[in-house]
Amino acid sequence: MLIYALVAGVLFGLYFSLVGIGLNLVFGVMRIVNLAHGDFLMLGAFVAFGIVTLAGIDPLFAVPLAFVVFLLVGVLLYWVLVPRLQGSVNPEMLSIILFFGLSQVIEAITTIFSGTSERSIQSRLLGTVFSTIKVKLFGGKPGPAGPVHIFGQGFPAPWVIAAGTSLLAIALVYVYLYRTRMGTLTRAVMSRRDEALATGIDVDRISAAAFGIGLGLAAVAGVFAPFMFGSVTPAFGADATVTSFAIVVLGSLGNPLGTALGGVVYGVCYMMVQTYLSSWADLLPYVLLIFILLLRPSGLLGRRVRVA
Amino acid sequence: MLKVTGAILAAGLAIATQAMAADAPAEIKVGTLYASSGRYASISMPVYNGLKLWADQKNAEGGVYVKAFDKKIPLKLVSYDDQSNTATAATLYNQLVTQDKVDLLVADSGSVLTAPAVTIARDRKMFLFDQTGTGASFFAKDNPYIALMADPASTVWPKPVADFLIHDGPALGIKKIALLYSTNEFTGTQANAFRQFIKDSGAPIEIVYDQGVPTETTNYTVIINNIANTEPDAVIHFGYAPNDIAFLRNVQDVGTKFNMLFCIYAGLETELLEKNVGAKGLEHVFTYVPPSEAEYPVNFGMNMKEYRAAWNKAYPDGKVEFGFNAVAGYTTGLIVEKTLAVATSLDQLELRRANFSLSGELKTLDGTYALDETGGQIGELTPLGQLELNEHDSDHVKFVSIYPHETATGKPVYPRP
């Protein structure tokens, strides 16, 4: 039971790293709180529904599509909303109100078009591209992938695919931040926005890119939401935002890579609580939030954000 | 003298009739809530749409007959969106009573969103038409302000599945049971009742796993592994529709096979579950047989076939699924209509008297409307069934009624292949 809970926790937690990383990137660069983060995640799930319903192909193809679409949406939204917000007296507080409103609008519009019922995608459809490649290379018959066995125990294949995608996304965020010129500039803005502005960095361009990437990552996480949470409704966003915040604060607010650690810690703790104290599992995000704020307010990787 | 007396009587009658007509309201205000978003939207919207369908139908006919005024009066459905939030629901129930001054108060769907209404109705002395809030704590001998319209009390629901396990289980080899439930009034009460039925029976059955999880749980992989470690012969899961979707999907995903698997909403909202879990994932699952699968003889309102046709016509976009809850909303409407046709005034205790007088007499598409002394529903029973793949359409499942034996249409498939 313990090993199963630990492995499940790591897989689940890696996925939650992906859920939170975009939110942290946006906060780190712009110091604004995107309360509509979970709603973009929900919209990512609807991209996956669209891919499966309209094209009838592996929902994995929704990953690049959702990322590109919401990258562009993010950049556009940035130019419409954020510069005005940054010019206000208290942008952090106003961002909470503004993005809460945006969250409500997104939920309402999605409800009008899709209804309120739960929606999901059959698990066997995720990753069919891999089995097709396998059949082409090694022969055999295509069929449902079934569970993935780790330490002799079965885990849902979508979890492993989601965890793998999360690792890839985290690695790409790392490469972007630490191996590209845009990333260096992004870190400069994260470190001292006013100084970055004074040195001639085009802060708005960097911020727009970060906002777009943040939303793109949320949408990618959303593609896997129907597999990780059973189903998705237009109201799914609010819960996802709360959990994202817990993970972001746990890792370190303003440090996107800290979110990776925060996600894994959250995932393992969640599975352990579900195993031994199942009735209390839903309190976990709040309990972790209180503990981390009391014991280490800067988060698990809090020191690094200042050095970055 | 006779002429004078006659004239006085006639004048008195005319004045009385005019007074009665003048007192008759222009509309009967029916206040209710619905959840267009949030966790309970999928059980609330079908109920609300069913109630609305009834109200629209009646208004198209000129209203409902109200005995208190001896005339047909149009209905006005005063409804607000509680967004699945109990605090919002409490505020809105109060608003319906104090601001809108509705004539009749109808609760939202499900025990969680009905709970605030029970307290408010009692405090404000309003008779609550409780649609599907089945929590055992709602019904007490000292609370005359509630009656359950469209499904049995939670304590009655699990009786068929418990009886099946007690009477047929040991012969089938069922000796160990795992019990998993969501910790809310509806499913928590069912779990308590089920546990008690098993314990009281003295049957050679042991509950080897007994855990509650938060209603918001959407991930059961670790729990399924924990249950599998106890090697149960049967797994009983009491949860809401999103819980059942996540649970059944996780069972499929981890490749665990339980010999017997029971879920509530596989039967109650089969269309929704088919869409989300797939017919294959529902195959051989035990569940309650809803009224939409039974053709109960009716003495009031549409029968199931007619109602289904009316529903499809009213809601052709299919955004809200037809199922148990869709039937419940329409059933509530029928009971409200019949209550108004019997009550001699709109006084809340008179509404109660009228409503209780229907017990055992009224037969709707939901079965026989019968109340116990506390207002709990005891007539619309839920037999135990099992879902099998439809041989003509493998994307859909069909019901096989298993227990009680008198109404059974087939034998259980056990163990699950």
Side-chain angles (χ1 to χ4, degrees), chain A residues 112 116-117 120-121 274 282, chain B residues 36 216 219 249 276 319 321:
Chain A
I112 289 166
T116 55
S117 298
S120 56
I121 303 167
Q274 241 195 6
D282 269 29
Chain B
S36 76
E216 288 70 26
N219 198 299
R249 285 187 59 135
N276 286 282
K319 283 182 185 169
E321 283 80 10

Side-chain angles (χ1 to χ4, degrees), chain B residues 45-264:
Chain B
M45 290 313 291
V47 172
Y48 178 66
N49 282 6
L51 185 68
K52 197 167 169 301
L53 188 151
W54 163 79
D56 291 344
Q57 205 176 51
K58 288 295 121 188
N59 282 337
E61 294 168 7
V64 289
Y65 174 71
V66 183
K67 189 182 181 187
F69 304 105
D70 194 26
K71 63 185 284 196
K72 270 190 173 185
I73 302 177
L75 293 160
K76 185 182 181 189
L77 203 56
V78 184
S79 50
Y80 297 112
D81 185 359
D82 58 38
Q83 299 171 354
S84 298
N85 184 310
T86 48
T88 309
T91 307
L92 294 173
Y93 282 126
N94 264 317
Q95 187 173 323
L96 286 170
V97 177
T98 58
Q99 304 295 316
D100 299 307
K101 300 195 186 310
V102 295
D103 300 301
L104 297 99
L105 184 63
V106 178
D108 196 343
S109 175
S111 296
V112 176
L113 296 171
T114 299
V118 177
T119 318
I120 290 164
R122 190 173 181 168
D123 289 349
R124 304 278 179 186
K125 300 194 184 323
M126 284 286 287
F127 182 67
L128 181 66
F129 290 83
D130 171 3
Q131 304 201 81
T132 58
T134 61
S137 63
F138 300 169
F139 308 97
K141 284 182 182 170
D142 62 345
N143 180 14
Y145 295 101
I146 187 170
L148 181 52
M149 304 290 112
D151 57 8
S154 294
T155 45
V156 178
W157 280 74
K159 183 112 178 73
V161 61
D163 282 349
F164 168 75
L165 290 168
I166 291 162
H167 299 301
D168 294 5
L172 289 167
I174 299 173
K175 289 175 183 154
K176 293 195 283 182
I177 296 173
L179 175 60
L180 175 69
Y181 58 96
S182 301
T183 48
N184 62 68
E185 191 73 45
F186 176 54
T187 52
T189 306
Q190 289 199 47
N192 290 339
F194 175 84
R195 197 182 295 115
Q196 205 58 45
F197 287 138
I198 297 292
K199 279 184 183 164
D200 291 349
S201 72
I205 294 174
E206 185 191 357
I207 298 179
V208 291
Y209 181 94
D210 190 347
Q211 288 288 328
V213 293
T215 309
E216 288 70 26
T217 302
T218 53
N219 198 299
Y220 289 88
T221 303
V222 167
I223 291 168
I224 289 164
N225 179 65
N226 297 346
I227 292 173
N229 284 337
T230 64
E231 298 177 348
D233 301 310
V235 177
I236 310 297
H237 176 232
F238 294 120
Y240 274 114
N243 305 114
D244 277 351
I245 290 169
F247 180 73
L248 289 169
R249 285 187 59 135
N250 286 163
V251 167
Q252 271 184 300
D253 288 349
V254 297
T256 303
K257 280 197 175 160
F258 295 117
N259 288 342
M260 175 185 169
L261 193 52
F262 172 90
C263 289
I264 297 174

Side-chain angles (χ1 to χ4, degrees), chain B residues 352-389:
Chain B
R352 178 188 196 268
R353 186 205 62 76
N355 185 278
F356 273 64
S357 75
L358 306 174
S359 181
E361 304 295 325
L362 182 62
K363 294 179 195 302
T364 71
L365 71 179
D366 208 15
T368 302
Y369 181 70
L371 300 172
D372 65 14
E373 58 183 332
T374 65
Q377 181 59 233
I378 50 172
E380 297 152 356
L381 295 176
T382 46
L384 177 69
Q386 194 173 19
L387 297 171
E388 299 300 341
L389 280 186

Side-chain angles (χ1 to χ4, degrees), chain A residues 9-201:
Chain A
V10 171
L11 293 173
F12 200 59
L14 280 171
Y15 171 71
F16 270 105
S17 304
L18 181 60
V19 168
I21 197 165
L23 181 72
N24 211 356
L25 188 63
V26 169
F27 183 83
V29 175
M30 280 151 273
R31 291 289 185 265
I32 59 172
V33 183
N34 180 10
L35 280 185
H37 179 78
D39 296 277
F40 288 105
L41 208 128
M42 176 270 291
L43 290 175
F46 276 81
V47 172
F49 295 143
I51 281 278
V52 172
T53 312
L54 300 175
I57 55 174
D58 189 334
L60 268 181
F61 288 107
V63 169
L65 180 67
F67 183 77
V68 171
V69 167
F70 283 92
L71 175 79
L72 297 174
V73 168
V75 171
L76 190 70
L77 208 58
Y78 175 86
W79 287 110
V80 173
L81 298 178
V82 183
R84 284 179 182 80
L85 204 62
Q86 298 285 15
S88 65
V89 181
N90 191 348
E92 278 183 40
M93 178 53 75
L94 281 179
S95 71
I96 292 174
I97 299 165
L98 190 135
F99 284 100
F100 176 73
L102 182 65
S103 162
Q104 298 294 306
V105 170
I106 292 171
E107 185 185 329
I109 291 174
T110 315
T111 302
I112 289 166
F113 284 104
S114 71
T116 55
S117 298
E118 285 76 11
R119 283 165 176 257
S120 56
I121 303 167
Q122 298 297 307
S123 299
R124 62 185 162 79
L125 296 177
L126 186 71
T128 47
V129 65
F130 297 133
S131 53
T132 308
I133 292 169
K134 191 177 152 196
V135 169
K136 290 219 167 167
L137 289 178
F138 305 106
K141 283 183 181 173
V148 174
H149 290 275
I150 302 171
F151 298 126
Q153 302 190 75
F155 294 89
W159 284 35
V160 178
I161 296 171
T165 309
S166 301
L167 276 175
L168 183 66
I170 292 163
L172 290 174
V173 170
Y174 179 84
V175 169
Y176 174 77
L177 286 177
Y178 292 92
R179 295 284 183 272
T180 66
R181 184 173 151 69
M182 281 283 278
T184 308
L185 298 178
T186 305
R187 283 188 292 129
V189 176
M190 286 167 79
S191 182
R192 287 264 186 267
R193 189 182 177 87
D194 45 355
E195 284 178 18
L197 203 62
T199 53
I201 295 172

